[in-house]
Amino acid sequence: MEAVESLLATPFNDLIWRAHSIHRLHFDPNGIQLSTLLSVKTGGCPEDCGYCPQSVRHPTAVAQQSLLSTEEVLAAAQIAKNAGASRFCMGAAWRSPKERDLDAVIRMVEGVRALGLETCATLGMLKPSQATRLKQAGLDYYNHNLDTAREYYGEIIHTRDYQDRLDTLAAVRDAGMHVCCGGIVGMGETRRVRAGLLAELAQLEPQPESVPINLLVQVEGTPLYGTEALDPFEFVRTIATARILMPTSRVRLSAGRESLSDEMQALCFLAGANSIFYGERLLTTGNPDVARDQHLFARLGLHAE
Ligand code: SAM
Ligand code: DTB
Ligand code: SF4
């Protein structure tokens, strides 16, 4: 962990150069993978994650929405595909899915796959048998974030613990799915905590194929609303360090792009980010629209892969 902390603290130019050099060894430096998100069940979540607008315990403006129909999900997936996304990620505000919920999600996964998209879901904690069912249905990726360092977890979430997250990640891995696992920065944590998160992610064996690095989207009514904003350069450092520690993982520049300038996003790509969430909504909050991202890609000579 000290080693990761000193990596994060490396002079900026040295850090970016090192991260970018590693990036070029393993990836097309101008290719970016595009994932589109859809909230298939919104709000009313029993968990108390301090960052999340969907917790029933936080007085936010999010309107609850029960599980969407397969037809609604497939219509959104088709739009995402037409816009150029390669992966479609379905998110549900559950602590863990009930068996009946899982039956419905499985129908969605099968339909999205039939459109020719990669599939991803994030549904909360899974039992091994549930992970196996999802894998059999053709789910390519399961997203389940560690979110922060072990030592800081209890400051942010009180309704589950770190081991719960690791158990679900093990179930996903054992079922043979690809793992998408990352975290959030800008939650008032220290650099040491960011180092702890990255060290924990890099220790997973094998390392996650996909690592979303989210910059906290501050939503009114959540406990973390009003947290002092993170220095954007520190965000870029986090991306660069993730790239160095997990050289063959896709590092995704995830939530929070609306608060980053185009120039800062370009620095993130230089530092090794090679995936984004694409489409004007994340789950309940905004994201740059497709035309704006297309324009940024054209300005930077990036292409979707
Ligand atoms: N309920 C499931 C769970 O927690 O695993 C899946 C959905 S949950 C919304 C997925 C992830 O979104 C969280 O793990 C967190 O990393 C991210 N997230 C939620 N609210 C966020 C916010 N305000 N800013 C940045 N990331 C956020
Ligand atoms: C991830 O790491 N970030 C995404 C996705 N996985 C599911 C979610 C971001 C949510 C941002 C807040 C919102 O839109 O509700
Ligand atoms: Fe629920 Fe997931 Fe939000 Fe936590 S992050 S409150 S588990 S939807």
Side-chain angles (χ1 to χ4, degrees):
M1 169 123 84
E2 282 73 22
V4 178
E5 202 180 348
S6 48
L7 200 52
L8 271 171
T10 308
F12 192 78
N13 289 346
D14 292 339
L15 180 63
I16 305 305
W17 178 81
R18 190 164 157 193
H20 186 71
S21 307
I22 289 174
H23 187 54
R24 299 184 81 88
L25 291 178
H26 300 282
F27 290 100
D28 173 350
N30 304 305
I32 307 279
Q33 184 272 328
L34 309 178
S35 286
T36 295
L37 281 168
L38 178 68
S39 182
V40 299
K41 185 268 171 185
T42 307
C45 182
E47 304 266 24
D48 76 345
C49 313
Y51 44 80
C52 185
Q54 300 198 69
S55 167
V56 76
R57 303 164 195 241
H58 311 326
T60 64
V62 167
Q64 290 191 29
Q65 164 72 60
S66 55
L67 194 61
L68 299 181
S69 67
T70 307
E71 292 67 35
E72 289 171 300
V73 172
L74 296 188
Q78 186 64 59
I79 292 171
K81 179 166 170 125
N82 294 347
S86 65
R87 190 177 307 158
F88 191 69
C89 180
M90 293 158 272
W94 289 320
R95 172 174 164 82
S96 57
K98 299 190 187 67
E99 292 307 313
R100 242 192 36 202
D101 299 329
L102 211 60
D103 294 339
V105 171
I106 282 173
R107 289 193 289 276
M108 296 171 189
V109 169
E110 289 168 344
V112 171
R113 240 182 160 224
L115 295 176
L117 284 158
E118 290 183 317
T119 53
C120 176
T122 181
L123 316 170
M125 293 187 262
L126 293 184
K127 293 187 286 223
S129 59
Q130 296 180 311
T132 302
R133 286 193 66 201
L134 288 167
K135 168 67 186 172
Q136 282 167 353
L139 187 65
D140 298 304
Y141 287 80
Y142 195 78
N143 165 248
H144 200 65
N145 292 336
L146 286 178
D147 283 324
T148 190
R150 208 179 272 262
E151 73 203 72
Y152 200 58
Y153 204 75
E155 304 280 320
I156 306 292
I157 298 152
H158 312 94
T159 49
R160 55 168 191 258
D161 61 28
Y162 220 64
Q163 193 56 47
D164 292 326
R165 296 308 264 187
L166 293 169
D167 289 349
T168 293
L169 289 166
V172 169
R173 196 45 103 185
D174 289 347
M177 278 184 283
H178 291 140
V179 170
C180 173
C181 181
I184 313 178
V185 297
M187 299 196 294
E189 75 284 340
T190 58
R191 184 178 266 175
R192 192 177 180 78
V193 166
R194 287 187 285 281
L197 166 66
L198 293 170
E200 207 72 61
L201 292 169
Q203 264 166 39
L204 293 171
E205 255 213 78
Q207 294 185 333
E209 283 77 13
S210 159
V211 179
I213 304 292
N214 296 277
L215 178 60
L216 176 71
V217 179
Q218 298 204 12
V219 180
E220 203 170 342
T222 59
L224 290 179
Y225 183 69
T227 304
E228 195 187 332
L230 186 71
D231 174 359
F233 289 122
E234 190 65 22
F235 184 75
V236 181
R237 286 176 176 279
T238 308
I239 298 263
T241 304
R243 168 51 64 228
I244 294 166
L245 296 176
M246 294 170 277
T248 62
S249 303
R250 276 223 180 250
V251 174
R252 182 170 306 111
L253 168 54
S254 301
R257 284 200 297 125
E258 279 200 320
S259 65
L260 294 174
S261 66
D262 290 345
E263 293 81 356
M264 275 296 162
Q265 292 190 61
L267 269 180
C268 290
F269 297 135
L270 187 68
N274 59 352
S275 171
I276 56 167
F277 285 126
Y278 178 66
E280 61 268 11
R281 276 204 100 51
L282 292 166
L283 293 174
T284 67
T285 65
N287 195 44
D289 62 31
V290 162
R292 172 152 187 194
D293 280 340
Q294 295 284 1
H295 184 51
L296 179 60
F297 278 30
R299 289 165 74 204
L300 299 177
L302 297 173
H303 59 264
E305 51 178 21

